[in-house]
Amino acid sequence: GSAEQFPAILTPSSGCSGSKGLADFMTARSEEIEKSLLRHGAILFRGFDVHGASDLSDAAASLGGVSMDYVGGVVPRGRITDKVYNSTEMTRFVKIRLHNELAYQKNYPDRLLFYCQQPSRSGGETFIADVRRIYRALPRAIVRDFERRQLRYVRNFRDAGSLRRRPKWYD
């Protein structure tokens, strides 16, 4: 198919008269947002009034669906509201690599929302990628080999106390 913009970018001037509130925009344009999300893989909402975790929680609620708890992750996260977590409580020197969020869960999230409360003075990027594009870019021989071998990664969880300790691979 043709190359799509990634991520799609929506702004208040994209058709939300009056309010710059993200939750209001998402409610008013929910069908268009769903179509855009399926087409592009991600949406960057830029220029909306979002002031903290409560506004982010309202925006997430406007999309419908059920929120999930953060369970079993490698990095510790703090709960800010009932639906909002911080990205990590690890040191700023640790790089979190590209990954599929909560993909190890039986039921993983359909959507993720990110919000930056305090921008970093330098760095601080959150990388996102369209995994569909990554898959299509892999050499077909490798994909066929994975499929033939039925490649599967299995993760074994430890007790909750061990998740609070710094993993060896961070050293």
Side-chain angles (χ1 to χ4, degrees), residues 116-145:
C116 180
Q117 178 74 34
Q118 177 63 49
S120 175
R121 285 184 220 151
S122 67
E125 299 90 356
T126 297
F127 297 98
I128 61 171
D130 187 339
V131 179
R132 302 169 299 185
R133 289 183 186 189
I134 294 172
Y135 175 79
R136 288 191 300 262
L138 288 172
R140 291 298 95 203
I142 291 174
V143 171
R144 282 192 302 275
D145 194 35

Side-chain angles (χ1 to χ4, degrees), residues 10 25 43 52 66 73 79 81 121 126:
L10 294 178
F25 181 86
I43 301 171
V66 178
R79 186 186 295 257
T81 72
R121 285 184 220 151
T126 297

Side-chain angles (χ1 to χ4, degrees), residues 71-132:
V71 178
V74 173
V75 297
R77 290 184 179 176
R79 186 186 295 257
I80 299 170
T81 72
D82 64 327
K83 297 178 182 181
V84 177
Y85 293 83
N86 64 9
S87 62
T88 183
E89 293 180 359
M90 296 295 288
T91 172
R92 69 178 187 260
F93 300 108
V94 173
K95 290 186 179 186
I96 299 174
R97 307 281 182 212
L98 185 64
H99 60 282
N100 291 307
E101 188 67 23
L102 299 173
Y104 51 81
Q105 295 286 12
K106 182 178 180 182
N107 299 307
Y108 45 86
D110 292 329
R111 299 175 193 94
L112 295 170
L113 280 73
F114 299 94
Y115 168 72
C116 180
Q117 178 74 34
Q118 177 63 49
S120 175
R121 285 184 220 151
S122 67
E125 299 90 356
T126 297
F127 297 98
I128 61 171
D130 187 339
V131 179
R132 302 169 299 185

Side-chain angles (χ1 to χ4, degrees), residues 28-98:
R29 307 289 293 276
S30 62
E31 191 173 312
E32 177 187 338
I33 288 169
E34 287 299 317
K35 287 179 183 176
S36 185
L37 189 55
L38 286 171
R39 180 176 180 187
H40 298 274
I43 301 171
L44 173 59
F45 295 94
R46 177 152 283 159
F48 291 90
D49 288 333
V50 178
H51 302 286
S54 178
D55 285 357
L56 182 65
S57 188
D58 290 346
S62 73
L63 294 174
V66 178
S67 64
M68 297 179 64
D69 288 330
Y70 180 72
V71 178
V74 173
V75 297
R77 290 184 179 176
R79 186 186 295 257
I80 299 170
T81 72
D82 64 327
K83 297 178 182 181
V84 177
Y85 293 83
N86 64 9
S87 62
T88 183
E89 293 180 359
M90 296 295 288
T91 172
R92 69 178 187 260
F93 300 108
V94 173
K95 290 186 179 186
I96 299 174
R97 307 281 182 212
L98 185 64

